[in-house]
Amino acid sequence: MLPFKPLVSGSGDVYLELGMADTLITELSNIRDIEVRPTSAVIAYTAPSDPVAIGRKLGVEAVLDGRIQRAGDRVRVTAQLVRVDDGSSLWAGKFDEDLKNILAVQDAISARIVSALTLDLSGDEKQSLEKHATESSEAYQLYLRGRYHWYRWTPEGWQRARDYFEQAVAKDPKFALAWSGLADAISLQQWIRPRNELAPQAKAAASRALELDPRLPEANLSLGGITLFFDWDHKAAERVIKHAIELNPNFAQGHDLYALLLVSEARFDEAIAQSRRARELDPTSPYMNTDLGQIYYYKRDYDKAAEQIRVALAIDPNYADVFRYGTSIAEQQKDEAGAIDASVKFLVANGDPEIAAAVRAAYASSGYASAQQVWLAELTKKSATTYVSPLDVAEIHARLGHREEAIAALRKAIDDRAPGATWLGGDPRWDAYRDDPRFRAMLKELGVVPPS
């Protein structure tokens, strides 16, 4: 499902265009006989382009290519399902409806795709396909806006997504998918706000989504992520995440999250298998490719980790976490210049170009330790006005050999339930601390297993 394009150039509605594809992907991904690439795999293809070429790049057999135009309260949609191997059309259709009936258009397109692919649906699959996430056109439009900003994968995007999801559930309090989106948007704000204030809000949203639709894979995964990253309850999180995958075996995000849980327990072979499955389903996702590199890093296979980071970088040269792990890998390979280069690029991608410039200048004039001192000083200044993860501070102290300061910052990170703490048990940066009883006590609190 490619993002829909405007029928008339320059008159598009980006929310509706991406949203149409996202909704169809959500509906069709619950059919077990087909694999549907997730929205994150196709979001890059918003500009008009050759659907057959894109299909080949994504490794799929067929591509839905559509055009959509909104004019006041009317919407016009054209769509065709194209076979990738020869470019032939499996199905084509046109729809002209009141905007309030946009869900009916999506139903018709889904049904035509199923028919064109000659799929024999089970009763549950038919029911799922016919079921609307909401009957409120206003709530649906707000949800599409939230999902659009969610896929921008930036702190600003998460906040705007949260705002739109909150408006969507206010319009339709029974809109389970919007409650799940709200839970995810709140959860991701942990990178810019203290977790302790976010956890109750995220849990409430995920719980409401599950109350409304216990079989919604997205809602189960939302709760699984919260249980893992906020509660540090690995056993409960594993049950919920596995259930989300059982409900939708082609749920790329489900396999990816399960991989991250497994690596936190040093179950590396299982984690790699789950991560590879996620990449099969979403091969062009920068974060899923980065996550596989992260797993190799924790397994201490730095060559494979670096190779996977290069793959992720080729997909999205501005994805911050690519550089976060690029820094860690270069450090383990004793490549100070590479670590500084990755650190500077991480800071730029993360919205801190001034700190990046200061770190680069300090390295050029005085070396690696000086660059870390400058970084630490800049983070201290930043923390006066913005939330700074204590784990970031701890890592810099560790690089500088400040053992007591690193332990103190780690203690603060545990108290704050800082993002990234889940993987402390396997992080090579902390190998020198594993005999410290204070560090081991923190690992016990986390419920994680250090690698043997």
Side-chain angles (χ1 to χ4, degrees):
M1 312 290 163
L2 299 179
F4 280 56
K5 315 297 188 300
L7 276 168
V8 179
S9 178
S11 60
D13 181 334
V14 292
Y15 303 117
L16 190 58
E17 290 158 13
L18 180 63
M20 277 288 288
D22 182 71
T23 302
L24 290 166
I25 287 167
T26 300
E27 288 184 357
L28 293 169
S29 64
N30 291 313
I31 299 175
R32 292 175 181 260
D33 288 343
I34 58 172
E35 288 185 6
V36 182
R37 293 287 181 257
T39 307
S40 55
V42 302
I43 193 171
Y45 304 110
T46 54
S49 50
D50 180 5
V52 172
I54 295 172
R56 288 171 181 160
K57 186 173 182 179
L58 293 173
V60 297
E61 295 179 9
V63 174
L64 181 72
D65 187 38
R67 300 288 184 272
I68 189 167
Q69 193 68 38
R70 178 177 177 174
D73 293 330
R74 302 291 296 177
V75 63
R76 176 169 294 175
V77 178
T78 66
Q80 64 171 336
L81 188 65
V82 180
R83 193 192 304 274
V84 169
D85 61 0
D86 60 6
S88 63
S89 177
L90 292 168
W91 164 79
K94 295 180 180 180
F95 305 88
D96 195 345
E97 288 281 354
D98 189 296
L99 187 60
K100 293 180 180 179
N101 295 330
I102 186 65
L103 296 173
V105 174
Q106 292 168 348
D107 287 347
I109 293 174
S110 296
R112 300 287 182 86
I113 291 172
V114 168
S115 176
L117 296 176
T118 64
L119 298 173
D120 186 16
L121 303 187
S122 68
D124 286 345
E125 287 172 333
K126 288 179 181 177
Q127 186 176 9
S128 175
L129 206 58
E130 294 168 357
K131 180 181 177 182
H132 291 166
T134 179
E135 299 298 338
S136 168
S137 177
E138 289 180 285
Y140 177 66
Q141 298 297 319
L142 290 164
Y143 170 79
L144 294 187
R145 289 174 178 264
R147 191 52 71 187
Y148 172 83
H149 289 288
W150 158 266
Y151 283 117
R152 292 175 60 196
W153 208 253
T154 63
E156 179 190 3
W158 298 329
Q159 181 58 54
R160 295 194 69 181
R162 177 176 179 172
D163 292 342
Y164 281 121
F165 289 141
E166 286 176 337
Q167 293 176 57
V169 298
K171 289 289 184 182
D172 180 1
K174 295 184 178 181
F175 193 173
L177 198 58
W179 281 109
S180 175
L182 177 58
D184 293 342
I186 294 171
S187 296
L188 280 173
Q189 290 187 307
Q190 64 187 277
W191 295 101
I192 55 174
R193 292 170 58 184
R195 284 187 175 196
N196 292 338
E197 68 182 55
L198 297 173
Q201 302 165 12
K203 286 181 185 178
S207 297
R208 180 58 176 153
L210 278 171
E211 179 185 340
L212 291 165
D213 189 350
R215 293 185 59 79
L216 184 65
E218 290 80 1
N220 281 272
L221 196 66
S222 296
L223 182 62
I226 292 165
T227 306
L228 174 61
F229 296 123
F230 285 82
D231 296 341
W232 296 339
D233 187 340
H234 288 231
K235 289 184 179 179
E238 184 168 6
R239 285 195 300 271
V240 179
I241 294 168
K242 287 175 72 174
H243 185 52
I245 296 171
E246 288 168 2
L247 291 169
N248 180 2
N250 297 326
F251 197 2
Q253 289 177 314
H255 291 284
D256 183 66
L257 183 57
Y258 192 25
L260 296 180
L261 180 150
L262 292 166
V263 76
S264 72
E265 298 185 342
R267 294 159 63 182
F268 296 119
D269 290 341
E270 294 175 78
I272 289 170
Q274 289 293 325
S275 185
R276 285 176 173 167
R277 178 57 180 151
R279 286 177 64 250
E280 287 174 4
L281 294 164
D282 193 353
T284 60
S285 166
Y287 72 84
M288 290 187 190
N289 278 279
T290 300
D291 287 347
L292 180 56
Q294 173 184 350
I295 295 168
Y296 282 125
Y297 163 73
Y298 289 128
K299 194 180 180 183
R300 289 149 173 79
D301 190 338
Y302 303 124
D303 289 340
K304 284 187 177 179
E307 178 184 346
Q308 193 57 47
I309 289 298
R310 285 192 290 271
V311 171
L313 186 61
I315 294 170
D316 185 351
N318 298 310
Y319 181 52
D321 270 6
V322 173
F323 303 116
R324 181 192 294 274
Y325 284 101
T327 297
S328 303
I329 294 163
E331 285 178 336
Q332 297 305 314
Q333 294 176 322
K334 311 301 181 185
D335 178 7
E336 289 186 351
I340 288 294
D341 184 63
S343 296
V344 166
K345 289 176 178 175
F346 165 74
L347 288 165
V348 171
N350 205 45
D352 290 311
E354 296 84 2
I355 299 178
V359 168
R360 186 181 289 282
Y363 176 70
S365 63
S366 307
Y368 196 72
S370 176
Q372 299 303 316
Q373 291 280 12
V374 167
W375 194 349
L376 183 61
E378 292 291 336
L379 284 185
T380 301
K381 286 194 293 185
K382 182 180 177 180
S383 67
T385 56
T386 306
Y387 175 72
V388 171
S389 170
L391 191 58
D392 292 342
V393 175
E395 289 169 0
I396 297 176
H397 278 304
R399 291 179 192 133
L400 291 167
H402 300 166
R403 190 178 190 87
E404 294 305 311
E405 291 88 344
I407 287 289
L410 280 178
R411 180 67 264 168
K412 181 70 164 60
I414 297 299
D415 292 341
D416 282 4
R417 295 185 175 258
T422 306
W423 300 291
L424 275 177
D427 195 330
R429 284 175 293 196
W430 301 104
D431 284 352
Y433 290 71
R434 300 199 184 282
D435 291 335
D436 190 312
R438 296 168 295 179
F439 184 78
R440 299 190 71 84
M442 285 187 272
L443 291 188
K444 187 175 181 180
E445 287 184 56
L446 282 166
V448 298
V449 180
S452 56

